[in-house]
Amino acid sequence: MNAWGVLGKFTKAAAVALALGIATASHGAVINSTFVPGNNTLRDDDAERVLRLNPTSQQYEVVSKGNFQVGDILQAILAFTVVNTQSIPVAVNSLQYQLTAFSELKIDSINTVAIGGGLFRNDLTFVSSGRLAGGVDSMVDIYEKTDGFVFNQNGDPDTTGIPSTVAGNRILSLGVDTANNPLDFWVASVISTATTGALDLIQTASVNTPQAASGQFGISVLDNPGGVPILPLGRKDCTAVDGFTPAAYDVCGNVSGFARKDGVNSGWLFSSNTNVRFAVPEPGALGLLGVALAASGFASMRRKASKK
């Protein structure tokens, strides 16, 4: 995805504001103020569960035993708690502030390999579930909110957990965009045995040690209504961090899954931590892109006017 693919999603008003160096009131302003030029990292705390389509009712149902199947949806609610080395602010103008995300990953393929000792490694590839607010290709919708709603892993997932996550303003949507970046991917590996399924093992694993599941991703910005200043294809060091195939991504990172944390509602199957990495342009470069966008908009308006 090129620079125009992401920054072109800004409104003309936002582009003009960037060109003039004026801070906009768009959603995303609070979290943007905590980013630094260059590489940035977000860390989260989340809860996850697995949904499977019932062929009779054609409704998705929660599953908690056995192994993953193609078509299963891995559903998660996330609260980002750290940006770089700083805690994300929890109060803004006396209002509760949080940066949260709702994610749905649909299993597209499973490759099972015997690794010895009676163990099997199940390699999963993911695509979008097509059900998120960010569009049919979105795999993660990120929300910024100062509305008093508090991220809640302790309550029922459907009546409390998910509603508390998506109650804010959607500022960013991410996903696999192979049309613009053919190397985009989201994968994971989980362990099973001949008699114990991967879902069963995740639930009984010790928290953090051993790691019950691991995942990696290199994905693209699909929609950016909050104007989050992510540099398109800016993260070029994912190979050094995660052992990826050499490539540049809008966003990359890794996920570690383990048994459900104490206090997390039993409606969630397990817990995990995610590290999300991306690059932010220098302020001057962002301003120049704003100028270019504004100029492009004015030129387009003049062309239209001349045809009248």
Side-chain angles (χ1 to χ4, degrees), residues 20-282:
L20 298 176
I22 299 172
T24 72
S26 65
H27 303 309
V30 175
I31 189 62
N32 286 355
S33 68
T34 65
F35 296 150
V36 298
N39 292 326
N40 287 255
T41 300
L42 283 171
R43 297 179 179 87
D44 84 325
D45 181 22
D46 66 59
E48 308 196 25
R49 64 180 181 176
V50 180
L51 307 179
R52 183 171 296 161
L53 187 66
N54 183 314
T56 302
S57 67
Q58 289 298 298
Q59 299 294 316
Y60 278 97
E61 301 174 351
V62 178
V63 293
S64 58
K65 298 183 182 299
N67 281 309
F68 289 99
Q69 295 181 11
V70 170
D72 285 355
I73 292 176
L74 193 61
Q75 186 183 72
I77 56 172
L78 307 83
F80 292 101
T81 55
V82 175
V83 56
N84 300 318
T85 59
Q86 302 295 319
S87 295
I88 291 176
V90 295
V92 178
N93 297 327
S94 301
L95 294 174
Q96 179 71 29
Y97 172 82
Q98 288 188 317
L99 186 69
T100 63
F102 182 47
S103 174
E104 285 196 345
L105 313 178
K106 186 175 182 178
I107 298 177
D108 188 50
S109 68
I110 301 176
N111 183 42
T112 302
V113 180
I115 57 176
L119 299 177
F120 297 87
R121 189 188 74 233
N122 305 277
D123 296 326
L124 317 177
T125 62
F126 297 104
V127 295
S128 167
S129 71
R131 310 193 320 164
L132 297 189
V136 295
D137 295 321
S138 180
M139 301 171 80
V140 183
D141 285 349
I142 298 179
Y143 295 83
E144 183 179 57
K145 53 189 181 179
T146 55
D147 54 14
F149 286 89
V150 178
F151 176 77
N152 191 336
Q153 301 179 84
N154 304 325
D156 176 79
D158 295 303
T159 60
T160 303
I162 295 173
S164 75
T165 302
V166 302
N169 300 300
R170 183 176 60 87
I171 62 170
L172 193 68
S173 291
L174 307 170
V176 170
D177 182 19
T178 51
N180 290 292
N181 190 0
L183 294 177
D184 271 3
F185 71 97
W186 198 315
V187 299
S189 294
V190 293
I191 301 301
S192 63
T193 73
T195 57
T196 307
L199 299 179
D200 305 294
L201 287 177
I202 289 175
Q203 294 181 81
T204 58
S206 301
V207 173
N208 289 321
T209 306
Q211 186 172 275
S214 62
Q216 298 84 34
F217 54 87
I219 53 180
S220 295
V221 172
L222 303 176
D223 190 29
N224 193 359
V228 181
I230 292 179
L231 184 64
L233 299 181
R235 191 72 198 203
K236 298 181 174 65
D237 65 341
C238 294
T239 52
V241 178
D242 299 297
F244 292 166
T245 298
Y249 302 96
D250 291 359
V251 175
C252 65
N254 58 50
V255 183
S256 299
F258 42 87
R260 186 174 60 243
K261 287 184 177 179
D262 291 340
V264 175
N265 188 280
S266 60
W268 298 105
L269 182 65
F270 61 98
S271 296
S272 68
N273 292 130
T274 305
N275 290 309
V276 178
R277 288 179 287 278
F278 55 94
V280 169
E282 296 287 341

